[in-house]
Amino acid sequence: MENVEETVPQTPRSGNSRGRRSRQEILDASARVMSVRGYAGTSMSTLAKETGLPKSAFYHHFDSKAGLLSAVMAQGAHGFFDGMREAHRNPPDGGTPRERLRWYLRRTGAVLENREEFLRLLLVLVMSREAADAPEAQQTVITVRDEGRDYMRHMVRSAYLGEGEEIAGRVGDALAHFGMAGFDGAFVALQAGDGRSITDWMDQLADAMAGIGDAMVAAAGR
């Protein structure tokens, strides 16, 4: 699986500790405000008010608002996939594919809850063209979506490895896009306050995916 840290755009950091602190404050405030207002609705004046830093500090660290968005998305992508890798350490060896899928997806749901700001902004950028002037940020969106599908494929394949490498690969390929669609829907439902926990959504998604996967395994054994 490709490492997102090698593909998202990098932004140089300031060389002194005060500069690093102000840069991080800007990134954190920008992620928070943009996730609510969107990119187009977030002005430099708003960000300066949120951080207490002058506008000149923003332009010291970033060439433009588009460059700032690119750095926000790069930082969010790194944090999200770092969280995924940590959450999925030491997966279970035993159990059914359905049980293993539940293990993976429950932990994915926990990462989702801890990275809400990044995922809200990601979906805004997916569904709009408001960041057309920030091609690096748009490329990060594409990269994250591709990485997400690869990660979903990896989880499904791992859950079905007991059925053999070939079957596990076929099931993973078949369910990668479906799993991502379910992940997106669960996140939107969580943001809408539909009254269900993320664990509920992830368990139901695991059950649905396992139903399709088990049917594929049965058909292959005929």
Side-chain angles (χ1 to χ4, degrees):
M1 186 171 60
E2 185 181 18
N3 189 334
V4 72
E5 294 189 15
E6 298 176 355
T7 55
V8 294
Q10 302 291 314
T11 303
R13 296 185 176 186
S14 173
N16 61 74
S17 59
R18 183 176 179 182
R20 285 194 296 270
R21 284 198 303 273
S22 64
R23 183 180 187 277
Q24 193 59 52
E25 288 175 25
I26 291 168
L27 286 173
D28 291 343
S30 299
R32 182 172 64 253
V33 176
M34 287 180 180
S35 73
V36 175
R37 296 172 176 255
Y39 171 68
T42 300
S43 67
M44 287 298 196
S45 296
T46 298
L47 292 175
K49 183 178 178 180
E50 285 286 322
T51 60
L53 295 170
K55 290 183 184 179
S56 59
F58 288 78
Y59 291 109
H60 173 73
H61 293 291
F62 307 100
D63 292 336
S64 63
K65 183 179 167 184
L68 172 58
L69 175 64
S70 296
V72 166
M73 292 303 295
Q75 175 176 266
H78 294 158
F80 179 76
F81 285 106
D82 282 349
M84 290 282 278
R85 283 186 286 271
E86 180 63 27
H88 294 148
R89 291 176 61 187
N90 303 317
D93 293 325
T96 65
R98 184 184 301 262
E99 289 168 339
R100 290 195 290 274
L101 269 176
R102 281 194 171 202
W103 186 91
Y104 276 109
L105 290 180
R106 283 185 178 186
R107 281 155 181 79
T108 298
V111 176
L112 179 152
E113 287 189 298
N114 290 326
R115 300 288 173 177
E116 287 185 84
E117 288 178 356
F118 168 67
L119 292 172
R120 279 199 303 267
L121 180 56
L122 180 72
L123 285 181
V124 167
L125 296 178
V126 166
M127 295 185 293
S128 73
R129 293 292 300 164
E130 66 174 25
D133 65 332
E136 287 187 353
Q138 292 288 17
Q139 183 56 53
T140 300
V141 171
I142 294 169
T143 297
V144 170
R145 298 295 293 177
D146 289 344
E147 281 288 307
R149 278 186 290 272
D150 285 347
Y151 216 108
M152 185 65 70
R153 185 178 292 108
H154 166 74
M155 289 190 286
V156 176
R157 180 182 175 279
S158 297
Y160 278 89
L161 270 179
E163 304 296 335
E165 292 272 356
E166 182 180 354
I167 291 295
R170 285 166 56 188
V171 175
D173 289 343
L175 293 180
H177 284 78
F178 177 77
M180 275 287 286
F183 182 89
D184 291 342
F187 181 71
V188 170
L190 184 67
Q191 295 297 298
D194 287 353
R196 303 286 296 278
S197 71
I198 192 62
T199 300
D200 288 341
W201 292 121
M202 292 296 101
D203 282 353
Q204 287 191 329
L205 178 59
D207 289 345
M209 293 173 70
I212 298 171
D214 291 351
M216 290 182 66
V217 171
R222 291 173 186 166

